[in-house]
Amino acid sequence: MDVSFLGGPRPQRGVGVVAPFDFALDRELWRWVPDDVSLHLTRTPFVPVEVSLDLARLVSEHETLGEAVRALNAVAPEIISYACTSGSFVGGVAGERAMCEAMTRAGAVPSLTTSGALLEALAELGAGRIALVTPYTVSVTQSLEEYLAEAGITVTGRAYMGLTSHIWKVPYREVVDMARDSVRGSADALFISCTNLPTYDVIPQLEAELRIPVISANQVTMWAALRHLGTRAVGPYQALLGGTSHAFGSGGESARRGPVLPEQNQQEGWA
């Protein structure tokens, strides 16, 4: 059969993604990506350590990052994204910048991290006061708050799960309940941390209920990487992506009934 009329495949632009060894939400990342962009993922080596500050430091060592980026060089991505929140905030603002510099040296292309993308997203939204949801222990959550405080961001309320493993198994219902618990006082936005925590489907529902922008670790990572390429992330009714048409009205039916959760409420990931 003659298939010459198809003319494809379409040219692709590449985003390299370095993720921790236990990252389990590859499919969620792809949901933000337009058709003319491909993700090229690699993982850091396995270490037998539970989710903790120690693990965050291990998966973000410059030598480890350099090896991962050099592996991605073979497919020539236009930008490298380090998809791990805790691994990129554990060293503070200066540590995050040093990670980007190390990755750029190894790959000779621009680099970003989830925590750096978070600050970029908060600046884009004009959000200086945020509510915070994490699956982490108290010590890891406190480290994130210290990173945010160093960047001039105030945390008005927080909720955390205390998990040290299998974060990808947290159902959407628990994410929503934690989000509701975290929003106290006047918050400009809500941030749901950890690239291994599923969030894509709950973002528009939470924005409709809470009437503030809701951003997540995977969302800001993909948003920042695609923005660098001069294109837009895909995501209906997500304020960061420009889809605010139903999220911040004066009360509507969606706010009164609360979020409608998808049938598939178990997905995968920790960082």
Side-chain angles (χ1 to χ4, degrees):
M1 181 172 58
D2 182 11
V3 295
S4 60
F5 68 92
L6 293 175
R10 295 178 61 186
Q12 294 285 295
R13 308 181 70 186
V15 173
V17 179
V18 178
F21 59 88
D22 64 344
F23 179 71
L25 293 183
D26 302 55
R27 186 174 182 276
E28 174 159 297
L29 292 186
W30 277 96
R31 296 179 73 184
W32 277 288
V33 178
D35 289 343
D36 62 343
V37 174
S38 283
L39 300 181
H40 309 298
L41 282 93
T42 190
R43 284 166 169 76
T44 60
F46 170 76
V47 289
V49 179
E50 290 186 327
V51 177
S52 60
L53 291 175
D54 287 340
L55 181 57
R57 295 184 185 101
L58 286 171
V59 297
S60 60
E61 291 177 343
H62 289 191
E63 182 178 352
T64 298
L65 294 178
E67 291 176 0
V69 171
R70 284 188 286 274
L72 289 170
N73 286 347
V75 292
E78 295 182 44
I79 188 167
I80 302 290
S81 303
Y82 177 63
C84 178
T85 324
S86 59
S88 53
F89 67 62
V90 69
V93 171
E96 189 277 332
R97 290 172 181 162
M99 290 175 66
C100 291
E101 292 170 0
M103 289 189 292
T104 296
R105 284 196 301 271
V109 294
S111 302
L112 60 87
T113 74
T114 297
S115 294
L118 166 61
L119 299 185
E120 188 178 341
L122 292 175
E124 177 74 8
L125 294 168
R129 295 169 55 83
I130 68 167
L132 183 63
V133 168
T134 88
Y136 311 133
T137 61
V138 61
S139 61
V140 181
T141 302
Q142 287 175 343
S143 181
L144 173 54
E145 290 193 50
E146 290 167 4
Y147 172 80
L148 290 166
E150 187 181 355
I153 305 299
T154 300
V155 174
T156 61
R158 84 275 306 144
Y160 58 92
M161 300 178 188
L163 299 180
T164 59
S165 63
H166 297 104
I167 290 172
W168 63 87
K169 296 182 179 179
V170 175
Y172 277 139
R173 176 64 66 184
E174 290 187 26
V175 176
V176 169
D177 289 343
M178 296 287 284
R180 290 170 174 156
D181 290 343
S182 72
V183 178
R184 312 181 191 107
S186 57
D188 301 323
L190 165 67
F191 174 57
I192 305 173
S193 189
C194 187
T195 56
N196 238 357
L197 190 66
T199 58
Y200 185 96
D201 292 304
V202 300
I203 291 173
Q205 304 298 338
L206 283 172
E207 288 190 340
E209 178 181 355
L210 301 174
R211 297 297 193 236
I212 56 175
V214 175
I215 57 178
S216 74
N218 282 331
Q219 181 207 44
V220 299
T221 305
M222 291 295 96
W223 168 80
L226 294 166
R227 189 188 201 199
H228 173 85
L229 298 186
T231 190
R232 295 170 65 103
V234 177
Y237 305 116
Q238 298 182 25
L240 180 63
L241 313 186
T244 58
S245 60
H246 81 295
F248 312 122
S250 57
E253 179 62 25
S254 62
R256 289 194 296 273
R257 69 170 180 255
V260 179
L261 298 179
E263 290 295 323
Q264 180 186 3
N265 65 353
Q266 293 251 12
Q267 296 193 35
E268 303 195 89
W270 74 262

